[in-house]
Amino acid sequence: MRLEVGNILIKEIQFGDRTEVKEGVLFINREELAKVTGEDDRIASVDVYLAKPGEEIRIIPVKDVIEPRIKVSGKGGVFPGLISKVDTVGEGRTHVLKGVAVVTTGRIVGFQEGLIDMAGPGAEYTPFSKTMNVVLKVEPVEGLHQHEHERVVRLAGLRAAEYLGRAGQHVEPDHVEVYETKPLLEQVKEYPDLPKVVYVYMLQTQGLLHNSYVYGVDARQIIPTFIYPTEVMDGAVVSGNCVSACDKNPTYIHQNNPVIQDLYERHGKDLNFIGCVITNENVTLSDKERSSNMTAKLVEFLGADGVIISEEGFGNPDTDLVMNCYKIEEKGIKTVLITDEYAGRDGASQSLADSTEKGDAVVSTGNANEIIKLPPMKTVIGYPEVADIIAGGTEGSLGEDGSITAELQIIIGSTNELGYGLLTAKGR
Amino acid sequence: MTIRIVHYINQFFAGIGGEEKADHKPEVREGVVGPGIAFQQAFGEEAEIVATVICGDTYFNENMAAATDEVISMMEKYKPDLVICGPAFNAGRYGIACGAVAEAVVDRLGVPVVSGMYPENPGVDMYKKSAYIIETSNSAAGMRKAVPPMARLALKLARGEKIGSPEEEGYIPRGIRQNEFAAERGSKRAVEMLVKKLKGEQYVTEYPMPVFDRVAPGPAVKDIKKAKIALVSSGGPVPKGNPDRIESSSASKFGRYSLQGIDDLNPENSETAHGGYDPVYANEDLDRVLPVDVLKEMEKAGEIGSLHEYWYATVGNGTSVANARRFAAEIAKELNAAGVDAVILTST
């Protein structure tokens, strides 16, 4: 499967009469965007704001972040099974408005959404302080159940991202990246002397507002399966979870999965990247056993010499990470794990809920419990009072002056377990 | 300004004597004593050891609270900027004393401490979070190698400089995780690590996973009607009044208590020493933690061979793995000697 990703570098975003890209500037028709986003009779209102790097803006509570993309050629459309038909995606050409992100906010759904600061110390910890954000405050009609509320806002964000992405359909990209993974036997033949690497891509599926979707299917229902890396780039995997902000994978980070990108970077040089196995993180023991057994079996069947395993979330999913590691290593296949840590506010506790001595190669993306003080911002989009209840905050987190003192957990993407950021934790 | 340092050593390194002098009570001397000379040389003009506090290891360990108070009040008068303890190498009681002094110095005087120990010294696990403990060899023969990294780290700490990693500075990892920004993103570090692992090259994990002891279950008891059963608990079940003063958390000891004449635990004869859970229901009826009543009934009915005369108890609340391992080895030895066939372990 071969995909050309055409990046249109956006230097500036502003409201305009029509939604279009002109010389690196994205103009947005505010009313039209609000209308497309709100095309659901369960949505009462949509407000559109812009938040740019360096501006003193706080967005809270953030539900998802999505990158505007559009299919230019090849089968299907972005986010198949959700807002496009379920065609298999990942081939042809896709255009990206690089530098722009759609951020959804609004009344809180659960208690595990997070925040983005566009300036100040908090900005250093979230990748979305560096993107030009089109913020959508989506309010549902009264009386909507939480699960439906989550779904309504999720789909609204995807529609908005596709709407904006469409502005790039006929624009010549600034640069084009080509990614290709061939069917297994051909791919093995292409670099017969290089070690074969599979990416084991764990998706959050603990349920109760902790879900992910693959081609529109709740990943809790899947048996671990093979997926081409380029399918992910077209939105085959979508976040539907409200799990702690720091280590949930927003849809934007799925679309730009850094493990996939960095494996492609070494593809044909140091390794032969033969594809991804997606698996889930269900809560019952039999589900965990089944999924880790199937994952190990599939990785072995594909002939992998080594795998990278990334986690999403913490605590309960630590057991899935450890089971995957143990069972894959048992088959003589080498593993590297990516996880964050919950070592307590003082950093003195054990970081993971489970352990295996076979996990001898671990990348840490930081201690989520570490405390950070975020100064007040001039503008707050959303509802600052939820700082006291979302994961990582406690009663009194929100100061009278509008500052927030909370665990890093509260910041979207701060300890991202796909390794999107620079943060790590070290033993001292 | 010259950095003021107070040094803590035991009776042996002060030249007072060995085990026979280990009950030596705390004393303070102006200036350097024993290993302090080497430290003073390493410091040169930058720091001065203004006083040395000496205490016998037996005295310290048997009177820990009082000895700590005495030592701290002696040190306080010299207004230290930093305290050095030991090095204690692999001397267990000296290590524990150094660690306890270090913890009290940090808590009460608010100044940093550097110590030195062999990694297996029990003082390491107990106190590594309080003090920076430089890794040393297992005997005093390693003094010459221990002094330079201890002195170097002491000066850094006293000057308030940034402390590097355990590998850079030579201290035993304290088990404290601190965030920092790496040069490359996590995914790139992961791919790099995998490439090295596949090539069989050296790589360093960013999070060494804790290794848990996995104990294989023993074979089933062949004939329970003949078996001698003992009770061991980390739930803190002790005779009323906690005669051994087992700590409510981070226990440093266990107790052995007789069941003679006891058929039932009740608020008159027993209580829990554990500080990690709501003790109301345990104190109302301690059989809830240690099922003496049921086992005595089973013993009388001939359903088990016998109930061992003693029960063993400690507190599992934040107790270090090193201590727990030591308790278990000692308890197991006694149980074996007493011909016990099986043990019921209870926690909380």
Side-chain angles (χ1 to χ4, degrees), chain A residues 272-291:
Chain A
N272 189 355
F273 181 25
I274 57 177
C276 311
V277 169
I278 49 168
T279 182
N280 51 21
E281 304 174 348
N282 291 6
V283 290
T284 67
L285 183 60
S286 60
D287 280 340
K288 287 177 187 299
E289 292 283 10
R290 182 187 311 110
S291 290

Side-chain angles (χ1 to χ4, degrees), chain A residues 143-164:
Chain A
L144 204 61
H145 185 274
Q146 275 180 316
H147 296 136
E148 214 176 343
H149 182 180
E150 184 280 316
R151 181 177 168 80
V152 163
V153 178
R154 167 160 41 93
L155 295 176
L158 300 179
R159 279 196 302 276
E162 196 218 15
Y163 166 80
L164 292 176

Side-chain angles (χ1 to χ4, degrees), chain A residues 26-46:
Chain A
L26 172 66
F27 293 93
I28 300 163
N29 179 323
R30 194 174 188 169
E31 289 71 36
E32 199 173 70
L33 172 61
K35 187 168 164 284
V36 170
T37 307
E39 269 170 8
D40 187 325
D41 50 19
R42 294 166 295 183
I43 292 176
S45 68
V46 176

Side-chain angles (χ1 to χ4, degrees), chain A residues 252-313:
Chain A
Y252 184 102
I253 298 184
H254 284 302
Q255 294 168 294
N256 289 280
N257 188 313
V259 177
I260 290 176
Q261 286 177 1
D262 290 339
L263 281 172
Y264 268 132
E265 185 72 36
R266 309 288 282 265
H267 183 50
K269 297 174 195 153
D270 301 297
L271 52 85
N272 189 355
F273 181 25
I274 57 177
C276 311
V277 169
I278 49 168
T279 182
N280 51 21
E281 304 174 348
N282 291 6
V283 290
T284 67
L285 183 60
S286 60
D287 280 340
K288 287 177 187 299
E289 292 283 10
R290 182 187 311 110
S291 290
S292 54
N293 288 344
M294 295 277 182
T295 297
K297 183 178 69 181
L298 189 48
V299 164
E300 179 189 43
F301 177 75
L302 292 170
D305 299 301
V307 300
I308 288 178
I309 311 175
S310 65
E311 187 184 359
E312 183 173 10

Side-chain angles (χ1 to χ4, degrees), chain B residues 73-247:
Chain B
S73 71
M74 286 172 177
M75 288 180 168
E76 202 170 9
K77 294 194 186 97
Y78 289 89
K79 299 192 169 42
D81 300 310
L82 178 127
V83 170
I84 290 182
C85 294
F89 304 102
N90 199 25
R93 289 177 314 157
Y94 187 22
I96 290 171
C98 283
V101 169
E103 185 180 64
V105 167
V106 171
D107 285 355
R108 301 186 207 170
L109 304 184
V111 300
V113 181
V114 173
S115 187
M117 295 184 205
Y118 183 63
E120 287 174 27
N121 190 314
V124 169
D125 256 11
M126 291 167 72
Y127 298 107
K128 67 184 177 191
K129 286 188 170 63
S130 304
Y132 284 96
I133 303 173
I134 295 284
E135 180 175 341
T136 69
S137 68
N138 64 357
S139 79
M143 184 68 82
R144 195 194 292 249
K145 276 183 87 178
V147 170
M150 284 178 71
R152 196 161 47 234
L153 186 58
L155 290 177
K156 272 192 161 179
L157 280 165
R159 293 192 205 112
E161 289 172 12
K162 191 174 181 289
I163 304 303
S165 68
E167 297 77 32
E168 286 157 8
E169 307 283 359
Y171 62 88
I172 296 171
R174 296 180 303 157
I176 297 197
R177 306 288 297 170
Q178 261 172 22
N179 284 343
E180 60 179 66
F181 290 104
E184 300 285 357
R185 66 182 183 178
S187 53
K188 200 162 181 181
R189 305 199 305 271
V191 173
E192 182 62 32
M193 202 183 284
L194 182 64
V195 168
K196 285 186 172 167
K197 195 172 174 178
L198 285 167
K199 284 183 181 164
E201 290 173 6
Q202 279 283 325
Y203 60 89
V204 181
T205 184
E206 295 179 2
Y207 176 66
M209 286 219 183
V211 178
F212 303 132
D213 275 350
R214 301 261 177 204
V215 180
V221 174
K222 281 207 185 80
D223 186 357
I224 194 76
K225 291 192 173 164
K226 287 189 183 137
K228 186 175 183 180
I229 312 284
L231 283 168
V232 178
S233 178
S234 62
V238 291
K240 186 80 181 170
N242 190 9
D244 292 322
R245 298 266 174 269
I246 295 178
E247 298 89 340

Side-chain angles (χ1 to χ4, degrees), chain A residues 59-80:
Chain A
I59 313 163
I60 179 172
V62 172
K63 295 153 206 316
D64 198 6
V65 185
I66 309 127
E67 185 166 60
R69 292 188 172 206
I70 195 76
K71 287 299 292 177
V72 176
S73 67
K75 264 192 200 160
V78 290
F79 312 118

Side-chain angles (χ1 to χ4, degrees), chain A residues 130-200:
Chain A
K130 289 119 198 148
T131 48
M132 288 169 282
N133 297 331
V134 181
V135 184
L136 301 166
K137 191 170 160 211
V138 181
E139 297 300 358
V141 295
E142 284 303 314
L144 204 61
H145 185 274
Q146 275 180 316
H147 296 136
E148 214 176 343
H149 182 180
E150 184 280 316
R151 181 177 168 80
V152 163
V153 178
R154 167 160 41 93
L155 295 176
L158 300 179
R159 279 196 302 276
E162 196 218 15
Y163 166 80
L164 292 176
R166 202 169 289 283
Q169 193 150 26
H170 304 295
V171 177
E172 192 54 39
D174 295 276
H175 57 83
V176 178
E177 311 278 351
V178 180
Y179 301 99
E180 183 172 23
T181 297
K182 294 174 178 161
L184 183 64
L185 299 185
E186 286 173 50
Q187 188 55 60
V188 170
K189 259 190 236 158
E190 187 172 12
Y191 305 114
D193 300 325
L194 292 178
K196 297 178 287 298
V197 172
V198 167
Y199 170 34
V200 174

